[in-house]
Amino acid sequence: MTRDKGGAPRSAIERIGEKAGRSWPSIEAAARLSAETRARLATLLREQIPCDTSAVVFGSLARGEYTTGSDLDWTLLIDGQADEGHFSQVQAITKILRDAKFHEPGPTGVFGNVAFSHPILHQIGGQEDTNKNTTQRILLLLESLAIGKPDAHERVLRLVLSRYVEDDRGLLYGSKREIIPMFLLNDIVRYWRTVAVDFVYKQRERSSGWALRNAKLRMSRKLIFVSGLITCFGFELFGKDRTTWADEGGITTPALVRFLRERIRVTPLESLAEVLLRPSVSAETARTLFDSYDAFLALLSNEEERGRLKQLPLDEQLGRDPTFKRVRDIGHVFQDGLNRLFFKEDEELRELIQKYGVF
């Protein structure tokens, strides 16, 4: 990792800021608030996490994009024997967070309760792999952090990654030149398409909050998908010069699992910044992507504008609302930057997305 003159490590976002000649105050403010909030949660929940469980946060707090209006998406992850005390533990955590004035999770039931490791690990692609189960698994990989005791969280992450790698028979034994975890990649693509379809279903079932959900689909949800693609392309983009990952017979399953575990420790914005640091990617593309994302977080940080998006009715007047038009324009700029990044500027990334991200 690159270090500044004082010897402190510099993040990929700091380095891409230098490349782009920019600073992004809303991204920086959200990162600070996220760190402060996670520390506060650790204090509040210090005595509330039983053995074989981890309190896990998701969403903007886990991504380092937390704002004052953000919901707190969390679950009690259980990696052990079911216990009747788990329900009362969830109730206790819910009360603590409510008393501390945190915004509660949405009404879908994905967060704010318990999640068991068995279905997350063993039902990938099966008939019981519901939208809820898929969402929990993919978000566990791409945007989750343990608050307090991390043991259960770490075990489940490692086991899920091992399942994706071990069951991918073409990954280590096929004739492909590239090392791409296709089983994992297909599930991440499936999650993104599910999110897009689910958005339309929620539009039909509950039109309130439609504009805010639309903004998140254009920006933060899309960023999660992008980070998932980068994770699956990670060995080709970042790992080929790491000889420690492979022996004379090629990379092994445990080594690839360790590599993937390292990659998913990186937040989505940091992951995007790492790709933007590639020499072939222009400073203009970096500015386009991070300027638009900073504008998105600035909008969400504005209580009036966020509230406006949350309350806008789904009708023919929606497209004329200045706040919604602004966030729609931000989304278009962000998409333009992604198009340049994945399809125009970097030849290796273009080949990967064309070969593995389309067919």
Side-chain angles (χ1 to χ4, degrees):
M1 177 179 287
T2 306
R3 295 178 181 270
D4 62 23
K5 292 181 180 179
R10 291 185 301 147
S11 70
I13 294 177
E14 290 173 325
R15 286 181 283 145
I16 202 61
E18 292 180 3
K19 177 176 177 176
R22 285 284 204 274
S23 63
W24 295 290
S26 295
I27 290 175
E28 293 171 3
R32 287 194 300 270
L33 183 59
S34 297
E36 294 166 1
T37 304
R38 291 194 293 262
R40 182 185 173 205
L41 279 176
T43 300
L44 287 171
L45 303 181
R46 182 176 294 135
E47 306 299 328
Q48 301 299 323
I49 313 302
C51 295
D52 293 326
T53 71
S54 289
V56 180
V57 295
F58 299 84
S60 58
L61 183 58
R63 296 193 307 271
E65 303 169 22
Y66 195 72
T67 65
T68 53
S70 296
D71 294 341
L72 177 57
D73 294 333
W74 65 276
T75 192
L76 185 65
L77 179 63
I78 300 169
D79 182 43
Q81 184 174 345
D83 189 299
E84 61 183 10
H86 290 146
F87 178 71
S88 60
Q89 205 67 45
V90 167
Q91 287 183 311
I93 293 173
T94 300
K95 184 178 186 307
I96 289 170
L97 299 179
R98 187 176 293 148
D99 291 346
K101 307 301 182 184
F102 283 100
H103 295 280
E104 296 187 13
T108 60
V110 175
F111 303 114
N113 50 30
V114 297
F116 289 90
S117 61
H118 188 279
I120 290 173
L121 175 63
H122 295 293
Q123 292 178 356
I124 303 176
Q127 291 185 354
E128 301 302 318
D129 197 14
T130 61
N131 285 358
K132 177 180 176 181
N133 196 57
T134 301
T135 298
Q136 286 178 329
R137 181 174 59 252
I138 299 302
L139 294 187
L140 193 68
L141 293 177
L142 299 182
E143 58 155 36
S144 72
L145 281 175
I147 301 296
K149 299 177 181 177
D151 294 359
H153 181 243
E154 283 294 327
R155 280 197 306 272
V156 175
L157 286 176
R158 188 172 61 253
L159 287 170
V160 170
L161 288 172
S162 295
R163 168 83 194 279
Y164 279 119
V165 173
E166 290 172 357
D167 283 4
D168 194 341
R169 302 305 179 194
L171 178 59
L172 301 177
Y173 308 110
S175 59
K176 298 194 299 285
R177 291 178 304 158
E178 296 90 359
I179 297 177
I180 306 291
M182 289 297 295
F183 186 18
L184 174 60
L185 175 61
N186 284 328
D187 214 23
I188 289 172
V189 171
R190 178 175 69 143
Y191 162 74
W192 167 239
R193 299 306 180 194
T194 299
V195 167
V197 172
D198 187 57
F199 167 77
V200 179
Y201 174 80
K202 289 178 180 177
Q203 167 186 302
R204 181 184 178 92
E205 291 296 304
R206 47 187 178 95
S207 60
S208 62
W210 182 90
L212 183 59
R213 292 196 300 274
N214 182 274
K216 291 179 178 179
L217 185 66
R218 294 172 183 271
M219 300 298 295
S220 53
R221 302 286 187 266
K222 188 174 291 184
L223 176 64
I224 296 167
F225 176 50
V226 168
S227 73
L229 292 175
I230 295 171
T231 296
C232 292
F233 298 158
F235 196 84
E236 296 304 310
L237 296 174
F238 309 115
K240 287 184 291 188
D241 60 344
R242 306 269 299 271
T243 56
T244 55
W245 296 113
D247 55 28
E248 293 181 359
I251 190 169
T252 63
T253 295
L256 186 53
V257 169
R258 289 197 303 273
F259 178 82
L260 290 171
R261 180 65 189 100
E262 278 198 10
R263 291 305 311 163
I264 65 175
R265 292 183 195 275
V266 181
T267 67
L269 273 176
E270 287 276 347
S271 184
L272 178 60
E274 288 181 348
V275 172
L276 291 170
L277 285 168
R278 291 168 66 84
S280 58
V281 181
S282 68
E284 179 59 30
T285 295
R287 284 192 290 269
T288 296
L289 286 165
F290 271 80
D291 284 358
S292 58
Y293 210 86
D294 192 72
F296 168 66
L297 290 183
L299 189 147
L300 292 188
S301 301
N302 185 298
E303 184 176 347
E304 181 179 350
E305 289 188 307
R306 187 186 186 110
R308 176 76 176 161
L309 288 177
K310 203 168 186 178
Q311 297 302 322
L312 274 177
L314 180 59
D315 58 24
E316 66 277 3
Q317 302 298 319
L318 178 63
R320 303 177 187 176
D321 181 83
T323 302
F324 180 75
K325 287 174 65 177
R326 181 168 165 241
V327 78
R328 183 183 59 193
D329 290 343
I330 290 170
H332 289 160
V333 173
F334 188 68
Q335 183 62 54
D336 288 343
L338 291 176
N339 289 342
R340 290 206 300 269
L341 174 64
F342 278 91
F343 294 102
K344 295 181 179 180
E345 295 188 342
D346 188 282
E347 181 179 355
E348 184 177 21
L349 194 56
R350 182 174 67 249
E351 290 179 354
L352 287 170
I353 195 66
Q354 288 176 341
K355 186 172 182 179
Y356 297 104
V358 178
F359 295 106

